[in-house]
Amino acid sequence: MTLTDLLEDRGVSFLLFGGKGGVGKTSCSAASALWAAEHGKETLIISTDPAHSLSDSFDQQIGGEIKKVEGCSGLSALELDPRKAFEEYRKKLSETENFEEQAQSVLRELGDLSSMTPPGTDEAIAFAKVLEFIENPEYDLVVFDTAPTGHTLRLLSLPDILNSWVVNLIKIRVYMSKLTGLFKRLIGRGDEEDRTLDVLEKLKETIGVAKETLKDPNETAFVIVMIPEVMAIYETERLLSSLIEYEIPCDHIIVNMIYPDVPNCPFCRARRQMQQENLKDIREIYDDFNITEVPLFETEIRGIDKLRKLSEILFT
Ligand SMILES: Nc1ncnc2c1ncn2[C@@H]1O[C@H](COP(=O)(O)OP(=O)(O)OP(=O)(O)O)[C@@H](O)[C@H]1O
Ligand SMILES: [Mg+2]
């Protein structure tokens, strides 16, 4: 199954690109989003990397609000700004009746759970955005340009961490409402309902749906980007074992920046030979993966025209 089949036949809705720093994740995700949009899919590309580079890649200002990409109708882009997204959530939630009060009590409970490691805010916000798009699918395809491996793995482990958090909160909440119910009955206000529990139950349900969506090969695909160098092979091994642990479907690898055969250039020949040897190992180790090989371009890949050129290589 090629990358084209992945989008056209399998028709996944979420495409994540990940791998070691600097191997071409942003370029490959931008080129793929462009290809999908130019093949009739309403597409959104989101950068979850706090060090955003979608603006550099598309050579136009993107930023923290969803924006149409100039030069490609059907493609929108967003560079997630955790602080801004957090404020948006706060605002939205504070419009919910009584929310501040409920949030305070949840936060107090969270304080009591300090033995559990809270996830990083950046990843939590990025994950909340993922939840949003899973809940309200406005796009045919959402492409995620992720940060280098470590950050992305924390993002992908969030459903489990959050789930255990929420389950614990629910337990505590049930216990507390029994106590407060008793107290309220004592002071004659026994029929007030506990909405915090509803909020938590809803959150648990949403996280459950997100977990299932991330595991479903008809919905989600994780594409690993690497270069033909030994360090990248090691990192790919680590990334893959985590993806297996989280049951995230991954059967595509892009090997990027392959040196072309340049006559009369001993330096180029040496590098090419080193890469070709590693490439042989990669083909052998990952023989049940679909491998797409991408040559090193003469220039960096910036702007729609260059990205289109890359997409032609990825999707032929
Ligand atoms: N095949 C290629 N040929 C030439 N230049 C490339 C190729 N692929 C990527 N580049 C260039 O390499 C640099 C790094 O690429 P990119 O930003 O896509 O990597 P990344 O994995 O997203 O990096 P980071 O880990 O910093 O997010 C960019 O300048 C990009 O234009
Ligand atoms: Mg990047």
Side-chain angles (χ1 to χ4, degrees), residues 93-111:
L93 290 172
S94 62
E95 284 158 10
T96 320
E97 196 195 341
N98 240 349
F99 186 79
E100 283 295 337
E101 196 183 302
Q102 290 171 20
Q104 288 303 334
S105 81
V106 171
L107 283 177
R108 271 198 303 276
E109 287 160 23
L110 272 178

Side-chain angles (χ1 to χ4, degrees), residues 19-29 49 51-53 57 145-148 225 256-258 294-302 310:
K20 198 168 150 47
V23 293
K25 300 177 292 297
T26 302
S27 308
C28 291
S29 43
D49 184 349
H52 298 296
S53 52
S57 185
D145 169 28
T146 73
V225 185
N256 191 20
M257 303 188 188
I258 300 176
V294 179
L296 179 69
F297 286 36
E298 276 175 17
T299 59
E300 50 180 3
I301 301 174
R302 276 193 86 191
L310 174 58

Side-chain angles (χ1 to χ4, degrees), residues 7 9 31 37-38 46 50 126 130 198 284 293 301 308 316:
L7 292 190
D9 297 349
E38 291 187 334
I46 304 181
V130 178
D198 292 345
E284 229 170 81
E293 299 177 7
I301 301 174
R308 197 174 285 127
T316 42

Side-chain angles (χ1 to χ4, degrees), residues 32-302:
S32 304
L34 181 69
W35 187 89
E38 291 187 334
H39 285 75
K41 286 183 190 288
E42 197 60 40
T43 303
L44 173 69
I45 178 164
I46 304 181
S47 158
T48 65
D49 184 349
H52 298 296
S53 52
L54 283 183
S55 297
D56 296 338
S57 185
F58 284 108
D59 198 14
Q60 52 186 277
Q61 198 47 45
I62 307 287
E65 308 248 0
I66 295 181
K67 212 177 145 194
K68 291 260 173 214
V69 173
E70 278 165 40
C72 176
S73 59
L75 179 58
S76 305
L78 167 70
E79 291 178 326
L80 263 188
D81 176 348
R83 191 166 303 168
K84 194 151 168 267
F86 186 70
E87 277 312 310
E88 267 171 36
Y89 282 120
R90 252 187 81 91
K91 208 165 148 252
K92 212 188 291 174
L93 290 172
S94 62
E95 284 158 10
T96 320
E97 196 195 341
N98 240 349
F99 186 79
E100 283 295 337
E101 196 183 302
Q102 290 171 20
Q104 288 303 334
S105 81
V106 171
L107 283 177
R108 271 198 303 276
E109 287 160 23
L110 272 178
D112 296 338
L113 300 174
S114 48
S115 59
M116 283 192 272
T117 325
T121 322
D122 287 359
E123 291 103 351
I125 294 292
F127 183 70
K129 274 283 170 197
V130 178
L131 289 184
E132 219 172 82
F133 289 108
I134 288 175
E135 272 199 309
N136 314 300
E138 284 170 57
Y139 297 89
D140 300 321
L141 177 70
V142 182
V143 176
F144 291 92
D145 169 28
T146 73
T149 311
H151 183 278
T152 300
L153 289 181
R154 283 198 299 278
L155 173 71
L156 295 176
S157 66
L158 273 180
D160 287 330
I161 296 175
L162 286 180
N163 207 43
S164 65
W165 257 39
V166 172
V167 167
N168 276 307
L169 285 180
I170 289 175
K171 279 187 201 151
I172 291 173
R173 191 70 218 179
V174 168
Y175 175 70
M176 292 214 352
S177 28
K178 278 185 191 148
L179 282 184
T180 44
L182 190 70
F183 179 66
K184 279 176 186 164
R185 275 199 296 284
L186 280 178
I187 60 168
R189 291 169 64 191
D191 34 317
E192 272 177 24
E193 55 182 334
D194 181 2
R195 289 200 51 242
T196 317
L197 208 51
D198 292 345
V199 173
L200 289 175
E201 289 286 359
K202 173 80 185 58
L203 186 59
K204 183 168 165 253
E205 200 183 299
T206 311
I207 294 168
V209 172
K211 265 179 81 166
E212 290 316 308
T213 306
L214 283 173
K215 285 180 190 173
D216 183 350
N218 292 316
E219 292 279 5
T220 302
F222 194 106
V223 177
I224 296 183
V225 185
M226 68 186 296
I227 52 174
E229 287 174 19
V230 174
M231 301 262 282
I233 299 178
Y234 290 156
E235 180 129 344
T236 299
E237 280 299 287
R238 284 194 290 270
L239 178 54
L240 258 176
S241 63
S242 299
L243 292 176
I244 291 168
E245 187 190 332
Y246 302 137
E247 298 174 59
I248 295 177
C250 173
D251 44 27
H252 280 75
I253 295 177
I254 295 172
V255 187
N256 191 20
M257 303 188 188
I258 300 176
Y259 257 71
D261 196 2
V262 189
N264 306 323
C265 171
F267 173 82
C268 310
R269 188 169 317 131
R271 280 206 72 91
R272 181 173 162 83
Q273 194 182 340
M274 173 273 289
Q275 285 198 342
Q276 289 298 317
E277 275 161 27
N278 290 325
L279 202 52
K280 220 174 98 205
D281 292 341
I282 291 170
R283 291 189 196 118
E284 229 170 81
I285 302 171
Y286 304 112
D287 62 342
D288 47 355
F289 282 74
N290 180 284
I291 298 178
T292 307
E293 299 177 7
V294 179
L296 179 69
F297 286 36
E298 276 175 17
T299 59
E300 50 180 3
I301 301 174
R302 276 193 86 191

